[in-house]
Amino acid sequence: MTPPPVAWSWELDGWIIAAGALCAVASALLGNFLVLRRMSLLGDAISHAVLPGLAAAYLLTDQRSSLPMFLGAVAVGVLTAFFTEWVHRVGQVDEGASMGVVFTSLFAIGLVMIVRAADHVDLDPGCVLYGAIELTPLDTWRVFGLEAPRVVVVLAAVLLVNALYVALLFKELRIASFDPQLATASGFGAGWMHYSLMTLVAVTAVASFEAVGNILVVAMLVAPPATARLLTHRLGVMVLLSVAIAAASAAAGHVAAVSVPAWFGYRSTTTAGMMALATGAGFTLAMLFAPEQGVVSRTVRRVRLSLRELGEDVLGALYRADESHDTPLAVEELRERLLCRRMPLRLVLLRLQSRGVVRPTDRGVKLTETGVALAAQLIRSHRLWEHYLVERAGMTPDRIHPQAERLEHVTDLAMRRQLDSETSESPTDPHGQAIPQERE
């Protein structure tokens, strides 16, 4: 029996989305600079390593109030960043390895401390993993006369601090991320920038930890900035894109958590997990379809380039065959000369035929007048390069053909004129083949 659809309530769902979006945006703002510094997993390390801070705060105060827990976790989070950098520099250890050593050691210390207070401390593994964002609207504070969830108020304050930090120190963060030595030489310490950033990462991770858990904090620190990095090469645009992606992922994740399980006969699922899943889906789409860096886009460009080069090779082969009075060439013979597959060759021939460059005959394929003109310029490029490689580069004629064959595909009119001016006048290439005249 299919369960009834979950009722939507803006008093509940709206605050849940607000909490998720605030956490996502606050994390993504700082995550951009973690991604650029190749320290993406530091957020994960901090969110694991805060455990001894939580335990220490309880043991010292004998209470579970938010402020001592928060301060203890932040202190250990900052120590995690400090010790990671210290082990990396002093011990000459890879940064990823130093991160792993530090956070696992601190996490283990935290477990020992929790065992010490095991009779008094509740540790819910589910809450640690994906938080309790669904309970956000139940714990409220009165702010400026309005009732608002405590988590939303805290995350809004963290977001404001992070936004001011990035906006006011954007130039310094950019320089310190790409060139720490230049940052120090410019008058502001790269070390100070590093530790201030790590402190805010720790504060953000701890502030988000209770509401959204470990999974979403790590996902939002890494996935939206990494997604934006695939879409742009400009840091300012990357920051803005990561913020938009993070907020959209939070909203889409909660909607999916409420609606998608009903398609399969279930009530709902964890919102924080679905928000993290939404960021992963966004990254996957960008990885596949980003205009410049996407896998599909790069594949399409490579295929188009290879087909263009094959088309030029076809023109060159037909021109050379015409020089030796060996045209038209049968398709199979042309394929053997070019050492290519049948399907790409047929696609190229159809394209060349549609452009009026080649025409089929009873015996095979032949260049049209337009095709002869285009092929002549390609052959001129090839033979000018051969002439240049022998005369100016000192290569022997038996070694120049492969190099000239690659260079002919990237040679335009200006480069042909430059090659012509850099070499002595000669009607033939080093193999005795005529160099076609330039056609204006």
Side-chain angles (χ1 to χ4, degrees), residues 272-338:
M274 288 299 288
M275 288 179 177
L277 184 61
T279 64
F283 176 80
T284 302
L285 290 174
M287 183 182 67
L288 292 175
F289 302 109
E292 291 187 18
Q293 303 182 65
V295 174
V296 173
S297 304
R298 293 200 307 268
T299 301
V300 169
R301 285 198 299 272
R302 284 198 298 267
V303 170
R304 291 179 62 183
L305 178 61
S306 63
L307 290 177
R308 181 179 69 81
E309 291 184 354
L310 179 57
E312 293 177 349
D313 289 339
V314 168
L315 296 181
L318 292 175
Y319 187 92
R320 293 184 179 93
D322 198 30
E323 282 184 320
S324 60
H325 306 287
D326 195 21
T327 54
L329 286 180
V331 174
E332 192 63 26
E333 185 178 358
L334 187 60
R335 187 185 71 81
E336 291 176 358
R337 291 193 181 193
L338 298 177

Side-chain angles (χ1 to χ4, degrees), residues 41-324:
L41 288 181
L42 187 61
D44 185 34
I46 289 174
S47 62
H48 280 84
V50 297
L51 194 57
L54 296 172
Y58 178 80
L59 291 172
L60 291 173
T61 63
D62 200 28
Q63 57 181 332
R64 295 171 53 191
S65 59
S66 298
L67 184 59
M69 292 284 197
F70 180 81
L71 294 177
V74 169
V76 176
V78 174
L79 285 176
T80 302
F82 175 81
F83 285 141
T84 297
E85 188 69 12
W86 183 76
V87 171
H88 169 60
R89 291 187 178 181
V90 177
Q92 298 295 309
V93 177
D94 174 74
E95 200 156 33
S98 64
M99 198 180 304
V101 169
V102 170
F103 96 75
T104 52
S105 300
L106 289 174
F107 188 69
I109 293 172
L111 289 177
V112 172
M113 295 173 69
I114 283 179
V115 170
R116 168 69 180 80
D119 295 335
H120 311 288
V121 177
D122 294 327
L123 179 63
D124 182 359
C127 182
V128 170
L129 287 176
Y130 48 78
I133 194 171
E134 293 85 358
L135 304 180
T136 293
L138 302 182
D139 182 8
T140 62
W141 281 352
R142 180 169 290 276
V143 181
F144 302 117
L146 298 175
E147 289 287 337
R150 176 178 58 84
V151 169
V152 170
V153 176
V154 172
L155 290 177
V158 171
L159 172 58
L160 179 61
V161 171
N162 291 355
L164 288 174
Y165 176 77
V166 172
L168 296 177
L169 298 176
F170 182 76
K171 181 181 71 174
E172 290 81 359
L173 284 167
R174 177 172 56 189
I175 297 175
S177 297
F178 289 105
D179 194 338
Q181 289 76 22
L182 177 61
T184 301
S186 300
F188 54 93
W192 182 87
M193 296 301 301
H194 172 78
Y195 289 116
S196 64
L197 176 63
M198 294 307 107
T199 299
L200 287 182
V201 170
V203 170
T204 303
V206 173
S208 306
F209 196 75
E210 179 184 357
V212 301
N214 181 50
I215 292 176
L216 188 57
V217 174
V218 177
M220 292 304 181
L221 280 169
V222 178
T227 303
R229 183 67 184 85
L230 291 172
L231 299 174
T232 182
H233 296 291
R234 298 178 59 187
L235 181 56
V237 178
M238 175 181 167
V239 172
L240 295 177
L241 277 176
S242 68
V243 166
I245 292 167
S249 298
H254 180 63
V255 172
V258 173
S259 59
V260 171
W263 303 346
F264 304 96
Y266 300 100
R267 290 278 300 173
S268 62
T269 187
T270 166
T271 290
M274 288 299 288
M275 288 179 177
L277 184 61
T279 64
F283 176 80
T284 302
L285 290 174
M287 183 182 67
L288 292 175
F289 302 109
E292 291 187 18
Q293 303 182 65
V295 174
V296 173
S297 304
R298 293 200 307 268
T299 301
V300 169
R301 285 198 299 272
R302 284 198 298 267
V303 170
R304 291 179 62 183
L305 178 61
S306 63
L307 290 177
R308 181 179 69 81
E309 291 184 354
L310 179 57
E312 293 177 349
D313 289 339
V314 168
L315 296 181
L318 292 175
Y319 187 92
R320 293 184 179 93
D322 198 30
E323 282 184 320
S324 60

